[in-house]
């Protein structure tokens, strides 16, 4: 009787562990490892949303429906050829050399140089619409999604939403400042997280923020916000509206100049440079490097000091004198 009782308990334990738990089926992605990555002398010809610096001087481009490209100074390689077409929005090469691809239609892909992993809500991601990937100082990977912020520690996800204090679940970008606070831009008010609580920021112009696309910290510690209503600077106490120009992307170059991309009006977008010497004046000196009807989007200062910027139909490089269009061989000439 004793053995029968033990056997019954064993059967109950097996049923509990194998039948009671929700089993997650692995993704059956159509990843064709037989496809060779496409290498060309020209870059993407579709909308380039974000541009990031990779390791060893390489530059990475996230092009909607066109793929994610890596530029080594001579040629462009589509590193997502094996995955296929998606609405890619952002890219990151982490400190371990792994590549991360964010999409707004199928979550996130991770590539270690040999194999791909696919992360969606099934694995714990807050939402499959991902617009930004960010690695913090501790090595955690953060994702700005359409359903909150997701933090991945290499094993599991932890999600942050308005329930935890996030100002808005519809996120656009993430940035960590010098003190370790994480800043989140949203389709509404931005906020920051000090590791314990979230603090929402509202500017004092009587309107508030409507749609923040970018956040950076400059060398002086001021936080810059790119909103559809203009370019803002925050010194920790007060907001200053620096420009009426919409700032989709913001960077500070090595000389302290602030660069932005975005609409000047409903018909014209521009790559703009705000002179470092006049940044804190009432009317900073602004130079339009390039303007036109295509949307200007992702923005990066490369290691050699050149400025790369994405557009609605490809990518450009400005070396301080000339602008090179990389979407075709003819454009480069």
């Amino acid at each position: 009787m004793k053995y029968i009782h033990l056997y019954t308990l064993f059967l109950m334990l097996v049923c509990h562990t194998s039948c009671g738990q929700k089993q997650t089926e692995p993704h059956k992605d159509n990843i064709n490892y037989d496809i060779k990555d496409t290498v060309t002398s020209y870059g993407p010809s579709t909308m380039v949303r974000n541009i990031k610096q990779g390791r060893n001087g390489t530059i990475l481009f996230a092009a909607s429906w066109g793929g994610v490209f890596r530029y080594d100074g001579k040629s462009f390689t589509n590193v997502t050829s094996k995955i296929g077409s998606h609405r890619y929005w952002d890219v990151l090469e982490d400190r371990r050399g792994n590549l991360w691809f964010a999409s707004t239609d199928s979550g996130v892909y991770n590539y270690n140089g040999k194999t791909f992993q696919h992360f969606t809500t099934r694995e714990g991601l807050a939402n499959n619409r991902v617009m930004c990937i960010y690695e913090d100082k501790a090595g955690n990977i953060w994702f700005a999604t359409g359903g909150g912020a997701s933090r991945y520690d290499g094993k599991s996800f932890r999600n942050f939403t308005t329930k935890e204090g996030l100002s808005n679940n519809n996120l656009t970008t993430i940035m960590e400042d010098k003190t370790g606070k994480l800043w989140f831009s949203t389709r509404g008010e931005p906020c920051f997280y000090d590791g314990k609580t979230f603090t929402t920021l509202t500017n004092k112009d009587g309107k508030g923020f409507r749609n923040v696309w970018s956040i950076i910290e400059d060398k002086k510690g001021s936080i810059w916000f790119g909103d559809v209503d203009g370019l803002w600077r925050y010194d920790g106490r007060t907001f200053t509206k620096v420009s009426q120009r919409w700032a989709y992307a913001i960077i500070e170059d090595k000389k302290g100049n602030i660069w932005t991309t975005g609409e000047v009006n409903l018909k014209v977008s521009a790559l703009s440079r705000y002179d470092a010497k006049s940044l804190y004046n009432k009317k900073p000196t602004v130079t339009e490097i390039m303007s036109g009807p295509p949307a200007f989007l992702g923005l990066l200062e490369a290691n050699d000091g050149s400025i790369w910027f994405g557009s609605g139909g490809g990518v450009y490089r400005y070396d301080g004198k000339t602008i090179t269009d990389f979407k075709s061989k003819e454009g480069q000439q």
Side-chain angles (χ1 to χ4, degrees), residues 83-151:
I83 301 176
S85 179
H86 289 286
R87 196 182 181 197
Y88 297 107
W89 202 279
D90 198 14
V91 57
L92 171 77
E93 186 168 9
D94 67 25
R95 63 188 63 182
R96 300 176 182 85
N98 299 311
L99 289 173
W100 295 84
F101 315 126
S103 74
T104 56
D105 64 333
S106 61
V108 176
Y109 291 89
N110 172 259
Y111 181 52
N112 64 8
K114 295 181 179 179
T115 59
F116 289 86
Q117 284 183 296
H118 188 189
F119 297 99
T120 67
T121 53
R122 291 170 57 179
E123 286 70 38
L125 196 64
N127 191 279
N128 289 337
R129 180 159 62 88
V130 183
M131 304 185 75
C132 173
I133 313 171
Y134 188 85
E135 184 177 21
D136 67 19
K137 295 173 184 176
N140 298 305
I141 307 297
W142 288 79
F143 306 97
T145 84
S150 293
R151 184 180 68 194

Side-chain angles (χ1 to χ4, degrees), residues 244-246 262-272 288 291:
Q244 297 286 345
R245 295 168 181 249
W246 174 32
E263 295 180 359
V264 178
N265 54 53
L266 294 177
K267 296 182 179 180
V268 177
S269 294
L271 170 67
S272 305
E288 277 190 17
S291 61

Side-chain angles (χ1 to χ4, degrees), residues 224-273:
W224 294 71
F225 300 90
D227 184 64
V228 295
D229 287 326
L231 178 64
W232 295 83
R233 184 179 64 240
Y234 178 63
D235 63 4
R237 294 182 179 179
T238 59
F239 286 93
T240 301
K241 193 166 189 177
V242 178
S243 174
Q244 297 286 345
R245 295 168 181 249
W246 174 32
Y248 174 86
I250 314 169
I251 61 169
E252 181 185 28
D253 68 18
K254 297 170 185 176
K255 297 178 181 179
N257 301 306
I258 295 292
W259 296 73
T260 65
T261 55
E263 295 180 359
V264 178
N265 54 53
L266 294 177
K267 296 182 179 180
V268 177
S269 294
L271 170 67
S272 305
R273 182 184 63 210

